[in-house]
Amino acid sequence: MIDPEPAYFDPLSTKDLTTIICGRFEREPLRSLESELPRFEGSGLYAIYCVASGSDLYEPLISFGIPVYVGKSHSHSSATGDPAPTPDPLWRRVRGHRTSIGDADNLTASHFGVRLLRMPDVHCDLGENGLRVGYRPVWNSILTGFGSNEQGSSTRSSARSRWDTVHPGRRRTFGRETHDLQTQRTRVQERVAEQVASYHLLPWRAHEV
């Protein structure tokens, strides 16, 4: 039986564009965080993955290619419209994350990889939102604080982040303890189990089933 109304299709819908961007992003190669990335210019989308055994909380994610963190860098400030202070914001952002992981007492940079894709700001916004909503990466949603920048004395007087509670070692971790370590580890384990159980439902990964 033919439906009484014809189908509606918008080839530029937010949903379809997000699926295209995320699928394209995940075709990019994984690069090791063990060594310094060669400098490059541009802004865009990136995600960090656990790629080797040794980080017990994240090992279940390895074989599924599920990121622990998703982020972006912009070529212009969304608030003022001013251009980024340097021509290489994506490279600088990832370099800072590499330092954070290397400074942690219980993480090793060689156990992590990064996927990057340079793209216009509006498209990396869509991609970041799609990956974050789809995967709910643990460092974005459970262990918050990984991507925050050092704020000098204000950081030292504020509470230690959830990420720094589970992965201490960064020089910025001068704040008081307010988060229980075991509680945070349990929340991560629960989220990782949820991610593994539902990853195949994502539209850009459905073909893998």
Side-chain angles (χ1 to χ4, degrees), residues 31-96:
R31 306 166 186 263
S32 174
L33 275 181
E34 184 175 14
S35 57
E36 184 79 22
L37 279 172
R39 187 187 295 267
F40 60 87
E41 295 187 356
S43 57
L45 180 64
Y46 67 92
I48 296 173
Y49 302 78
C50 182
V51 297
S53 300
S55 303
D56 64 308
L57 285 175
Y58 314 116
E59 285 185 17
L61 301 175
I62 296 175
S63 60
F64 295 93
I66 296 173
V68 295
Y69 187 78
V70 171
K72 65 187 176 187
S73 69
H74 278 167
S75 62
H76 289 78
S77 167
S78 59
T80 66
D82 293 334
T86 63
D88 52 4
L90 181 56
W91 177 81
R92 287 181 179 273
R93 187 69 169 156
V94 173
R95 185 182 66 164

Side-chain angles (χ1 to χ4, degrees), residues 2-209:
I2 299 177
D3 291 336
E5 295 185 4
Y8 175 80
F9 174 64
D10 177 4
L12 297 180
S13 71
T14 299
K15 178 181 177 181
D16 288 337
L17 282 177
T18 299
T19 298
I20 292 170
I21 292 168
C22 292
R24 176 64 180 83
F25 174 78
E26 293 198 336
R27 292 199 296 273
E28 288 300 295
L30 266 173
R31 306 166 186 263
S32 174
L33 275 181
E34 184 175 14
S35 57
E36 184 79 22
L37 279 172
R39 187 187 295 267
F40 60 87
E41 295 187 356
S43 57
L45 180 64
Y46 67 92
I48 296 173
Y49 302 78
C50 182
V51 297
S53 300
S55 303
D56 64 308
L57 285 175
Y58 314 116
E59 285 185 17
L61 301 175
I62 296 175
S63 60
F64 295 93
I66 296 173
V68 295
Y69 187 78
V70 171
K72 65 187 176 187
S73 69
H74 278 167
S75 62
H76 289 78
S77 167
S78 59
T80 66
D82 293 334
T86 63
D88 52 4
L90 181 56
W91 177 81
R92 287 181 179 273
R93 187 69 169 156
V94 173
R95 185 182 66 164
H97 291 330
R98 175 180 176 270
T99 299
S100 290
I101 292 172
D103 286 347
D105 295 338
N106 53 11
L107 295 177
T108 303
S110 62
H111 295 164
F112 291 86
V114 62
R115 181 172 277 128
L116 311 101
L117 185 63
R118 291 181 295 173
M119 57 174 51
D121 292 353
V122 64
H123 293 149
C124 71
D125 287 345
L126 285 176
E128 182 196 38
N129 185 67
L131 293 171
R132 281 192 179 194
V133 171
Y135 285 120
R136 296 187 298 160
V138 291
W139 291 359
N140 291 101
S141 57
I142 301 296
L143 299 186
T144 54
F146 169 70
S148 62
N149 293 316
E150 175 65 66
Q151 299 296 324
S153 60
S154 64
T155 301
R156 292 190 287 273
S157 63
S158 62
R160 185 173 300 192
S161 74
R162 289 183 170 86
W163 192 89
D164 290 299
T165 298
V166 176
H167 302 300
R170 292 196 291 188
R171 290 186 296 274
R172 70 182 67 185
T173 57
F174 300 117
R176 63 190 182 278
E177 287 283 5
T178 60
H179 305 293
D180 178 71
L181 173 60
Q182 188 53 52
T183 297
Q184 302 310 312
R185 287 182 57 88
T186 298
R187 293 182 68 212
V188 170
Q189 291 168 337
E190 292 172 348
R191 172 56 55 81
V192 166
E194 293 171 359
Q195 290 174 298
V196 169
S198 62
Y199 88 102
H200 62 280
L201 299 176
L202 296 171
W204 59 90
R205 306 205 74 166
H207 67 278
E208 299 176 6
V209 179

